[in-house]
Amino acid sequence: MKSKILTLLRERADYVSGQELCETFGVSRTAVWKAIKKLQEEGYQIDAVNNKGYRIVEAQEEHFGQYELDSRMETKWAGKPLFFFDEIDSTNVRAKLAAEEGGTHGTLFVADKQTAGRGRRGRAWDSPAGTNIYFTILLRPTFRPNQASMLTPIVAMAMVRAMREEAGAELADKIGIKWPNDVIVNGKKVCGILTEMSTEPDSIQYVVIGVGINVGKMVFPEELADKAISMEEYLGRKVNRSQFLPKVMKAFEELYEVFVTTGDLSGLKEEYEAALVNKGKQVRVLDPKGEFDGVAVGITKEGELLVEKSDGSVINIYAGEVSVRGIYGYV
Ligand code: BTN
């Protein structure tokens, strides 16, 4: 109820009577008063005036927490329910535990800080407090395990949609995807995605997709300095994490629903290719069976990269086997 009160007070931006709150949420005046008190304790400035009711004073500083995120989520299922942690080992670890205990499709785990954040290939993911977004969404897809590789690109697309919305038209075209799923700003990586799953031979038990978004300005370690960027560094202004994360969830839910209607990327291919920073560029395919160069021309509906060699032949590159990099650098 606290997050619903927040939403209502924010929408109204004026006094809302205690009576109206009681009627809207079907609770007593004491319950309303207690909820308001709790929100005030959480740092919300809510004026309470006799005969007028309650009014929220929108703060300049961001509230990154349970009620704020709940109250801003505009989805049907993605991010519902949501569990927020000031500090946790890893949201992926937490999501997997919840999955084993029957957690439902769409459940979201968000942390302000991770003490054991995990990256791909067994690496650690630096997760300091107060600056970035770390989240994991739990999914229970009904499609087959071989289709799950398309989920990570969909999350990358959701990130691109949300970041373009946040950036505005002027800066939007610098945001894209390096195949298969690196979200790129100005040629540098702005977020990492770690997808893990548990499968039966023919079905998926669960998938957890963890995303770490570089939001606040960071001093990256030397080896990452020319490969990583944060949203604030790029935009040159603060980003409100509680407003941004619901945009990612909304975009993800929409994209996921298009994906499940066909079970492939046919409905999303055009948008993906428009965001693909490698498109039309020379790439080097790092195939263990032999490296070769070519031009990235697009993707298949299964998400494979199409690379045209100098002899005109087009090769399908499957993400699991090989990686691709630009001839002149990371992209
Ligand atoms: C990568 O190596 O690029 C993937 C990094 C994924 C990091 C995120 S942060 C939230 C979630 N919890 C984790 O422990 N890892 C993922």
Side-chain angles (χ1 to χ4, degrees):
M1 183 179 63
K2 294 179 202 72
S3 53
K4 290 199 178 122
I5 291 182
L6 266 185
T7 312
L8 187 79
L9 292 181
R10 211 185 279 126
E11 276 168 10
R12 200 68 65 82
D14 197 357
Y15 286 95
V16 180
S17 71
Q19 183 64 29
E20 181 178 343
L21 291 172
C22 295
E23 282 165 13
T24 308
F25 301 114
V27 295
S28 67
R29 273 187 174 260
T30 319
V32 166
W33 180 78
K34 276 190 181 155
I36 296 278
K37 199 158 163 272
K38 183 87 181 106
L39 288 168
Q40 287 168 332
E41 281 164 17
E42 291 279 321
Y44 290 97
Q45 201 185 329
I46 299 173
D47 292 344
V49 174
N50 271 345
N51 299 325
K52 275 183 155 180
Y54 303 101
R55 185 185 66 141
I56 192 161
V57 182
E58 279 292 354
Q60 289 305 304
E61 81 275 17
E62 139 201 285
H63 285 278
F64 189 52
Q66 182 79 49
Y67 308 133
E68 188 73 10
L69 286 165
D70 273 337
S71 71
R72 292 187 183 273
M73 210 52 78
E74 288 175 10
T75 47
K76 291 174 283 182
W77 54 265
K80 294 186 175 169
L82 180 155
F83 297 98
F84 181 86
F85 304 88
D86 288 323
E87 182 177 322
I88 198 170
D89 49 359
S90 152
T91 52
N92 266 38
V93 170
R94 184 68 195 80
K96 284 192 280 183
L97 283 173
E100 298 293 347
E101 287 161 7
T104 52
H105 183 74
T107 305
L108 185 66
F109 302 87
V110 186
D112 182 49
K113 170 182 177 177
Q114 294 184 122
T115 53
R118 300 164 50 183
R120 281 181 295 184
R121 301 190 191 90
R123 286 196 284 253
W125 186 260
D126 190 23
S127 312
T131 182
N132 296 324
I133 300 177
Y134 318 107
F135 74 83
T136 301
I137 186 159
L138 163 61
L139 301 174
R140 293 202 181 272
T142 49
F143 48 77
R144 295 171 67 85
N146 63 351
Q147 290 164 293
S149 65
M150 289 176 260
L151 287 173
T152 319
I154 292 172
V155 173
M157 289 178 75
M159 275 296 302
V160 170
R161 272 198 192 177
M163 285 191 53
R164 286 184 173 171
E165 193 185 329
E166 178 75 33
E170 233 170 88
L171 296 171
D173 63 342
K174 292 275 187 286
I175 301 165
I177 299 173
K178 173 182 177 285
W179 182 85
N181 43 47
D182 280 350
V183 181
I184 299 295
V185 171
N186 259 348
K188 296 179 176 182
K189 191 168 148 175
V190 72
C191 88
I193 310 174
L194 177 65
T195 302
E196 300 178 86
M197 61 176 170
S198 166
T199 56
E200 309 284 340
D202 292 323
S203 63
I204 299 174
Q205 208 200 339
Y206 63 81
V207 181
V208 301
I209 309 178
V211 183
I213 310 172
N214 304 334
V215 177
K217 280 209 171 128
M218 293 187 39
V219 180
F220 294 106
E222 207 179 313
E223 67 275 16
L224 289 181
D226 58 347
K227 286 198 203 115
I229 192 169
S230 74
M231 289 181 68
E232 291 184 359
E233 193 182 331
Y234 170 58
L235 297 173
R237 60 167 166 81
K238 292 296 271 179
V239 172
N240 184 313
R241 292 176 291 168
S242 293
Q243 291 174 11
F244 183 67
L245 180 53
K247 289 183 189 156
V248 179
M249 282 300 113
K250 182 101 178 91
F252 175 69
E253 182 175 281
E254 287 166 7
L255 292 160
Y256 186 90
E257 288 184 354
V258 175
F259 169 67
V260 290
T261 55
T262 54
D264 61 29
L265 299 177
S266 44
L268 303 173
K269 198 166 110 58
E270 204 177 309
E271 182 173 338
Y272 183 97
E273 287 181 341
L276 185 63
V277 292
N278 320 84
K279 189 151 185 240
K281 294 229 177 89
Q282 282 278 341
V283 291
R284 179 154 298 155
V285 180
L286 307 174
D287 188 334
K289 288 183 235 123
E291 286 186 13
F292 64 90
D293 290 353
V295 175
V297 290
I299 60 162
T300 65
K301 61 183 175 36
E302 285 77 31
E304 295 158 353
L305 186 70
L306 295 169
V307 176
E308 188 175 330
K309 288 169 76 169
S310 55
D311 63 6
S313 60
V314 176
I315 313 283
N316 293 27
I317 314 291
Y318 175 68
E321 294 162 5
V322 294
S323 61
V324 162
R325 66 174 166 78
I327 302 282
Y328 305 106
Y330 171 57
V331 174

